[in-house]
């Protein structure tokens, strides 16, 4: 029931209209030509409702085809679905993502399509075909709009099941209810096993890359993504230690979420294999304090040798007065070099970063310098120690001495 003093009415199309002394006075800067109230003072809510026998109102759907994801970002599903409308092999596409972490898609094939011959395709061939279409569309979408996973459904939306309006538009809430079992599978975490490691791959990673969860492929002790990027090597050393790319980490027992590594600079800095595999700027994805697996960086793998391009990156950074996490990453790779001169060059850049204004970057640089405690060169160890003596936080100085 409405609050005292508030009138409600259903428009002919079922939209809820409200009127009263403490309804808002209007939207701030509404689109040109769009009014908050009609001539009779009714506010058009945009919610489609139905009234039951007892006079209670029940929400059916939204009049305008927009929704917000779990982060409050506005998505127009029809805009995304329109990309598939002109694809002959797609009979219907339906975007899911209202108040969810990411978007997924239901696809009903156009079995009348002969180029390609959809009716003759196996289930695996259909999946591969539609996966390529989704990846193509993702390239035209903002990261928060991208489709992370999809399902090929076995029937079209049905007006007799009240999934379509008389005009043929989908009733989104009804469709999501009727296909809830299929949709539920699209929001499960991606688990894989490689190199003896049970790995969780976060869905935000596929969203950021414009790929789908089905694009991850496993072969022996490595995982790969489409394109020319190198594969990521995984190797379980023992129950509490695992190799990811170029580095070895300790951790708690159980499945490991690679997202914890990718969102914590102290963990991924210097891991050339991991960074080359993911191919993203990870600095903006920093999430302080999130490390449920209790990952701890231990060492680089035996025989690690930084690529020449990383030396060039540090050379270029040395000519600047402002730096990024990518610069500290390059220096972290060089610090692991068996060549003392190369490691000293990295310390030179890291010293300038820690001496700069206090912040996440200088903190990350101090963490990287602490790794020099295990360097084989006494000169490298002492040089890094002298830098940290001047710039290490007071509360961590004794801990540094024990390294």
């Amino acid at each position: 029931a409405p609050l005292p003093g508030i009138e409600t009415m259903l428009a002919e199309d079922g939209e809820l209209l409200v009127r009263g002394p403490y309804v808002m006075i209007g939207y701030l800067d509404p689109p040109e030509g769009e009014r908050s109230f009609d001539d009779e003072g009714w506010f058009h809510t945009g919610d489609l409702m139905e009234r039951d026998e007892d006079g209670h109102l029940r929400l059916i759907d939204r009049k305008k085809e927009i929704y917000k994801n779990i982060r409050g970002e506005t998505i127009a599903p029809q805009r995304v679905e329109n990309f598939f409308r002109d694809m002959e092999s797609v009979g219907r596409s339906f975007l899911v993502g209202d108040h969810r972490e990411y978007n997924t898609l239901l696809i009903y094939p156009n079995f009348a399509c002969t180029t390609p011959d959809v009716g003759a395709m196996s289930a695996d061939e259909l999946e591969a075909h539609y996966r390529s279409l989704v990846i193509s569309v993702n390239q035209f979408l903002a990261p928060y709009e991208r489709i992370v996973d999809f399902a090929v459904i076995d029937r079209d939306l049905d007006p007799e099941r009240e999934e379509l309006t008389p005009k043929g538009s989908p009733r989104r809430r009804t469709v999501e209810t009727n296909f809830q079992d299929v949709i539920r599978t699209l929001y499960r975490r991606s688990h894989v096993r490689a190199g003896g490691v049970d790995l969780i791959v976060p869905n935000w990673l596929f969203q950021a890359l414009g790929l789908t969860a089905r694009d991850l492929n496993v072969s022996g002790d490595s995982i790969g993504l489409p394109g020319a990027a190198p594969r990521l090597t995984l190797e379980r050393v023992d129950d509490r230690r695992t190799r990811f790319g170029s580095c070895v980490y300790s951790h708690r027992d159980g499945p490991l979420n690679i997202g914890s590594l990718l969102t914590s600079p102290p963990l991924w800095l210097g891991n050339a294999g991991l960074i080359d595999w993911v191919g993203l700027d990870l600095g903006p994805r920093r999430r302080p304090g999130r490390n449920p697996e209790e990952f701890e960086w231990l060492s680089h793998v035996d025989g690690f040798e930084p690529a020449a391009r990383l030396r060039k990156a540090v050379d270029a950074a040395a000519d600047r007065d402002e730096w990024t996490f990518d610069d500290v990453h390059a220096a972290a790779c060089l610090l692991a070099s068996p060549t003392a001169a190369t490691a000293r060059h990295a310390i030179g850049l890291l010293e300038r970063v820690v001496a700069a204004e206090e912040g996440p970057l200088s903190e990350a640089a101090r963490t990287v310098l602490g790794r020099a405690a295990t360097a084989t060169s006494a000169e490298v160890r002492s040089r890094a120690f002298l830098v940290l003596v001047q710039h290490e936080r007071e509360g961590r100085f004794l801990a540094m001495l024990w390294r």
Side-chain angles (χ1 to χ4, degrees):
L3 295 171
I6 296 295
E7 301 176 76
T8 63
M9 182 175 73
L10 295 185
E12 290 184 6
D13 61 359
E15 182 180 11
L16 176 65
L17 312 182
V18 297
R19 183 170 64 183
Y22 44 93
V23 175
M24 70 172 189
I25 61 174
Y27 289 112
L28 177 66
D29 298 327
E32 185 176 352
E34 185 170 311
R35 302 167 60 192
S36 301
F37 295 84
D38 62 24
D39 293 336
E40 298 180 3
W42 290 103
F43 171 64
H44 293 241
T45 65
D47 292 322
L48 298 179
M49 315 285 283
E50 69 176 11
R51 196 185 303 272
D52 64 20
E53 296 178 354
D54 297 322
H56 297 125
L57 296 173
R58 184 170 71 91
L59 179 65
I60 299 298
D61 215 330
R62 287 287 295 168
K63 184 174 181 178
K64 291 184 178 180
E65 290 212 340
I66 59 172
Y67 61 71
K68 291 188 177 182
N69 62 21
I70 200 171
R71 291 177 294 278
E73 296 162 317
T74 300
I75 295 165
Q78 193 173 63
R79 185 184 102 79
V80 179
E81 293 163 357
N82 283 344
F83 282 99
F84 296 91
R85 185 164 296 173
D86 295 330
M87 296 178 178
E88 190 176 352
S89 62
V90 178
R92 187 185 301 275
S93 63
F94 179 87
L95 195 71
V96 180
D98 190 6
H99 288 89
R100 298 179 187 268
E101 183 182 356
Y102 53 86
N103 288 332
T104 58
L105 191 72
L106 303 181
I107 299 176
Y108 180 69
N110 175 15
F111 289 105
C113 176
T114 57
T115 309
D117 190 349
V118 172
M121 288 183 176
S122 66
D124 288 344
E125 289 171 334
L126 277 175
E127 179 182 310
H129 171 68
Y130 291 122
R131 183 170 66 245
S132 68
L133 299 186
V134 169
I135 292 174
S136 297
V137 169
N138 276 343
Q139 306 312 307
F140 297 94
L141 302 177
Y144 67 88
E145 295 178 303
R146 290 173 181 164
I147 300 161
V148 169
D149 207 351
F150 68 94
V152 178
I153 53 179
D154 58 6
R155 67 171 179 83
D156 197 0
L157 305 190
D158 186 355
E160 294 187 2
R161 291 182 167 94
E162 299 186 351
E163 294 166 352
L164 296 172
T165 68
K167 293 182 179 181
S169 301
R171 298 184 187 273
R172 295 198 170 271
R173 289 182 180 269
T174 302
V175 173
E176 290 193 26
T177 298
N178 291 354
F179 286 90
Q180 60 183 328
D181 291 341
V182 176
I183 293 171
R184 190 179 297 116
T185 66
L186 301 179
Y187 288 89
R188 292 175 179 169
R189 282 178 159 183
S190 297
H191 286 72
V192 297
R193 182 172 177 83
V197 182
D198 291 317
L199 190 67
I200 300 170
V201 183
N203 286 303
W204 65 256
L205 178 59
F206 301 113
Q207 188 179 49
L209 293 170
L211 302 174
T212 74
R214 305 177 188 215
D215 291 310
L216 189 71
N217 64 80
V218 179
S219 178
D221 62 353
S222 68
I223 57 177
L225 295 167
R231 300 181 67 84
L232 178 68
T233 299
L234 303 171
E235 180 185 356
R236 177 75 82 168
V237 179
D238 54 39
D239 288 345
R240 300 286 180 172
R241 293 182 299 161
T242 295
R243 172 188 177 180
F244 285 84
S246 307
C247 297
V248 177
Y249 301 86
S250 65
H251 51 77
R252 65 162 172 73
D253 197 14
L256 303 176
N257 191 334
I258 198 171
S260 296
L261 295 181
L262 297 176
T263 53
S264 177
L267 297 175
W268 61 257
L269 288 169
N271 192 334
L274 178 64
I275 299 306
D276 290 347
W277 172 75
V278 73
L280 289 174
D281 178 8
L282 295 178
R285 301 184 183 277
R286 182 176 60 90
R287 298 181 184 176
R290 293 173 63 96
N291 185 12
E293 287 80 9
E294 300 175 3
F295 278 115
E296 182 178 348
W297 188 93
L298 295 179
S299 68
H300 280 85
V301 296
D302 291 341
F304 173 74
E305 181 67 53
R309 59 181 170 76
L310 295 169
R311 173 63 186 250
K312 293 179 180 178
V314 171
D315 290 342
D319 293 332
R320 302 195 304 269
D321 294 324
E322 294 183 355
W323 304 281
T324 67
F325 279 101
D326 284 344
D327 299 323
V328 176
H329 165 66
C333 292
L334 261 61
L335 185 63
S337 172
T339 305
T342 301
R344 289 198 309 270
H345 186 50
I347 293 173
L349 175 60
L350 293 169
E351 180 177 13
R352 294 177 61 192
V353 175
V354 298
E357 184 177 350
E358 185 65 32
L361 199 62
S362 59
E363 175 68 16
R366 278 195 294 269
T367 299
V368 169
L369 279 166
R371 298 176 183 176
T374 60
T376 56
S377 168
E379 183 182 2
V380 170
R381 294 196 302 271
S382 61
R383 175 75 184 279
F385 176 78
L386 290 174
V387 173
L388 287 171
V389 164
Q390 300 175 64
H391 301 288
E392 184 64 281
R393 290 180 177 177
E394 181 178 351
R396 291 173 45 179
F397 184 73
L398 288 178
M400 181 199 64
L401 290 177
W402 284 106
R403 287 202 288 260

